[in-house]
C-alpha cells in the first residue's frame, strides 16, 4: 500500500500530478461542509477519506495517513499559510483517486493541522490541492455539489458567455495556486483563488490604500479568531464596499481589509459559490458563470457571532461589531457552553456545531446571545 516514489522524486514538475486525458470526463460529488467542498479521496486501495478540495495549496496529508500508507519522505518545504509560515515534510504518493479520477505521482506535504485547529473538524485527513489539477479543466458547481474534470473546455457548459479571468501561478509553475488580477479602485490587485477558504474577498489594508480605496472610519467590522493552517489569527476586519472589475463585468462587493497572507489577497467560497466556476489549468483561465438569473453577486453572509476552539474548549471565535450579540455584551474569546441550546463540552460537540446549520444562539456564563445571520450588515446595523 505504500508509495514506491524514490527519494530523489521525479525530475520535473511535469512528471508530477499526471492525469490520463483518456479517462476524462469524470464527475465527482462533494459534500459542502462549513462552506468548504469536501471530496472522498483514495490512495489506490479502495478506502476513501474526506478531504478538502483546495485550489490554494498543494496536497496535504495527515500523519495518520502517512503511517497507514507508508508514504516515503522525499524532502521538506516551507510555505506561506494563513497565520504565518509552515515547514513540512514532502512525501511521495503513487496515486490519488477521487471518484473515477486517478492522478499519478503526487507530492504531498505533511502533517495536516492538529485537532486543536477548527479546520480539522472539516477534515482530519488533509486536503486535495492545486498540484493535482494542472493537467485538466475543473468545473465546480456549488449548487449541484459536483466537480467535473475534463481534458478541455470543448463541449462543456458554463464557459461560453461566462466571465473569463486569466490567471498566473506563483513563479508561473505548472502546479501553483491560481492568482488573478481584479480591477479595484484606480488600478488592480492580485488575489489567490482559494476553494479552501469559506470567506468572500479579503486583502491587506495597505493594498486597498495603494489603489485609492479608503476604509471609512465607520466601516462595518467583524472581530474574528480566523482558523488558518498556521493557527488561529485574532483579527479586526473592516469591510469597504467597492467596485470590482472581474474582466468586463463590474460589481459592487464588500472587501475585507486584513493582513492574512502578505502581498496578495484571497477569494473564498462565499464569493465563488455565486458562480459555476471553471478552472482551465492548461490555458490558465478561470470562467465565472453567475448562478443568479440577473447576474448579480450577493454579499457574503455575516453571523452575529460564531464559535471557535482554543485547543481545549469552545470559545466565541467571531463577532459582528454592532450586531445583537455584540450590543448585548458578548466578547471575543468568551467560553461557550452551548449552541442553540445544545451543550458543548468536547471537541466532537464543537465540530458538530460548526459543521451543521449556522447557529442562532450562543450561550456563555453571561447568558444566551443572538448569533443569527445579519442580512443588512454591509448597509446598516
Amino acid at each position: 500500500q505504500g508509495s514506491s516514489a524514490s527519494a530523489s522524486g521525479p525530475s520535473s514538475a511535469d512528471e508530477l500530478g499526471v492525469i490520463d486525458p483518456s479517462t476524462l470526463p469524470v464527475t465527482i460529488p462533494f459534500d459542502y461542509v462549513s462552506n468548504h467542498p469536501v471530496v472522498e479521496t483514495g490512495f489506490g486501495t479502495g478506502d476513501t477519506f474526506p478531504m478538502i478540495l483546495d485550489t490554494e495549496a498543494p496536497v496535504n496529508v495527515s500523519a495518520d495517513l502517512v503511517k497507514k500508507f507508508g508514504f516515503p519522505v522525499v524532502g521538506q518545504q516551507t510555505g506561506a499559510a494563513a497565520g504565518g509560515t509552515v515547514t513540512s515534510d514532502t512525501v511521495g504518493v503513487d496515486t490519488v483517486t477521487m471518484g473515477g479520477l486517478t492522478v499519478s505521482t503526487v507530492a504531498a506535504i505533511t502533517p495536516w493541522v492538529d485537532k486543536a485547529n477548527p479546520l480539522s473538524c472539516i477534515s482530519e485527513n488533509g486536503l486535495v490541492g492545486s498540484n493535482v489539477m494542472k493537467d485538466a479543466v475543473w468545473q465546480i458547481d456549488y449548487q449541484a455539489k459536483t466537480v467535473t474534470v475534463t481534458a478541455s473546455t470543448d463541449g462543456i457548459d458554463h464557459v461560453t458567455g461566462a466571465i473569463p479571468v486569466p490567471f498566473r501561478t506563483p513563479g508561473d509553475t505548472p502546479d501553483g495556486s491560481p492568482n488573478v488580477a481584479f480591477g479595484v479602485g484606480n488600478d488592480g490587485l492580485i488575489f489567490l483563488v482559494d476553494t479552501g477558504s469559506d470567506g468572500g474577498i479579503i486583502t491587506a489594508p495597505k493594498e486597498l490604500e495603494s489603489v485609492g480605496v479608503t476604509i471609512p472610519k465607520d466601516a462595518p467590522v467583524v472581530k474574528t479568531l480566523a482558523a488558518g493552517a498556521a493557527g488561529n489569527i485574532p483579527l479586526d476586519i473592516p469591510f469597504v464596499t467597492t467596485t470590482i472589475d472581474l474582466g468586463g463585468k463590474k460589481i459592487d462587493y464588500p472587501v475585507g481589509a486584513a493582513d492574512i497572507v502578505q502581498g496578495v489577497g484571497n477569494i473564498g467560497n462565499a464569493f465563488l459559490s455565486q458562480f459555476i466556476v471553471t478552472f482551465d489549468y492548461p490555458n490558465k483561465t478561470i470562467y465565472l458563470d453567475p448562478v443568479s438569473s440577473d447576474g448579480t453577486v450577493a454579499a457574503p453572509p455575516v453571523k452575529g457571532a460564531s464559535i471557535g476552539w482554543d485547543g481545549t474548549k469552545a470559545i466565541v471565535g467571531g463577532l459582528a461589531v454592532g450586531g445583537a450579540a455584540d450590543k448585548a455584551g458578548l466578547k471575543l474569546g468568551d467560553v461557550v457552553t452551548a449552541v442553540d441550546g445544545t451543550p458543548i463540552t468536547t471537541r466532537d460537540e464543537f465540530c458538530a456545531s460548526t459543521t451543521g446549520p449556522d447557529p442562532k444562539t450562543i450561550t456563555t456564563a453571561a447568558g444566551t446571545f443572538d448569533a443569527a445571520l445579519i442580512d443588512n450588515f454591509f448597509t446598516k446595523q
Side-chain angles (χ1 to χ4, degrees):
Q1 295 181 353
S3 170
S4 60
S6 66
S8 60
S11 60
S12 76
D14 287 339
E15 298 175 42
L16 291 167
V18 177
I19 297 174
D20 180 354
S22 69
T23 64
L24 304 178
V26 172
T27 296
I28 306 161
F30 65 81
D31 290 328
Y32 201 43
V33 183
S34 295
N35 295 332
H36 293 76
V38 176
V39 294
E40 287 293 329
T41 306
F43 302 96
T45 65
D47 296 329
T48 62
F49 308 86
M51 299 178 72
I52 300 168
L53 182 65
D54 187 352
T55 55
E56 191 274 330
V59 174
N60 280 237
V61 291
S62 68
D64 287 345
L65 288 180
V66 173
K67 181 178 179 180
K68 177 179 179 65
F69 291 102
F71 301 139
V73 175
V74 296
Q76 275 195 329
Q77 71 177 51
T78 299
T85 59
V86 177
T87 299
S88 309
D89 287 335
T90 302
V91 297
V93 180
D94 282 343
T95 59
V96 173
T97 61
M98 290 169 280
L101 180 72
T102 297
V103 187
S104 303
T105 318
V106 174
I109 63 174
T110 191
W112 175 233
V113 296
D114 62 30
K115 290 188 176 181
N117 192 311
L119 286 174
S120 69
C121 294
I122 301 167
S123 172
E124 293 187 0
N125 305 298
L127 58 84
V128 181
S130 58
N131 57 331
V132 304
M133 299 181 178
K134 67 180 180 63
D135 284 348
V137 174
W138 296 66
Q139 184 174 93
I140 303 179
D141 186 332
Y142 289 87
Q143 284 66 46
K145 297 181 183 178
T146 58
V147 181
T148 299
V149 186
T150 65
S152 76
T153 59
D154 293 344
I156 64 171
D157 294 333
H158 306 293
V159 171
T160 300
I163 306 163
V165 182
F167 72 82
R168 292 173 58 88
T169 55
D172 242 8
T173 56
D175 61 348
S177 308
N179 284 218
V180 300
F182 281 172
V184 182
N186 56 30
D187 196 350
L189 296 175
I190 305 299
F191 299 89
L192 291 172
V193 183
D194 184 3
T195 61
S197 165
D198 64 352
I201 299 180
I202 194 166
T203 193
K206 67 178 182 181
E207 298 294 330
L208 288 172
E209 293 166 3
S210 73
V211 294
V213 177
T214 301
I215 302 168
K217 291 183 179 180
D218 61 350
V221 173
V222 173
K223 294 179 176 289
T224 182
L225 295 172
N232 290 342
I233 318 155
L235 297 170
D236 285 4
I237 306 177
F239 286 83
V240 53
T241 297
T242 188
T243 300
I244 299 175
D245 190 335
L246 307 181
K249 179 180 175 61
K250 294 183 179 181
I251 63 169
D252 290 331
Y253 195 85
V255 177
D259 294 297
I260 294 183
V261 177
Q262 296 295 321
V264 65
N266 188 277
I267 300 173
N269 292 314
F271 177 83
L272 297 172
S273 62
Q274 304 296 306
F275 305 87
I276 293 176
V277 185
T278 304
F279 295 87
D280 181 354
Y281 280 87
N283 294 298
K284 292 190 175 178
T285 302
I286 297 172
Y287 295 92
L288 301 173
D289 188 15
V291 296
S292 65
S293 59
D294 59 1
T296 56
V297 180
V302 174
K303 300 173 186 177
S306 58
I307 66 171
W309 184 255
D310 73 353
T312 60
K313 59 187 177 297
I315 58 173
V316 177
L319 191 63
V321 175
D326 175 52
K327 289 179 178 178
L330 191 65
K331 303 296 183 186
L332 200 68
D334 283 354
V335 176
V336 174
T337 57
V339 171
D340 291 336
T342 301
I344 294 182
T345 57
T346 67
R347 176 184 171 274
D348 286 347
E349 290 169 347
F350 162 75
C351 287
S353 72
T354 61
T355 56
D358 291 328
K360 294 181 179 179
T361 63
I362 285 177
T363 301
T364 72
T368 296
F369 298 84
D370 182 356
L373 293 176
I374 304 175
D375 293 331
N376 61 351
F377 183 73
F378 297 110
T379 55
K380 61 181 180 179
Q381 295 180 6

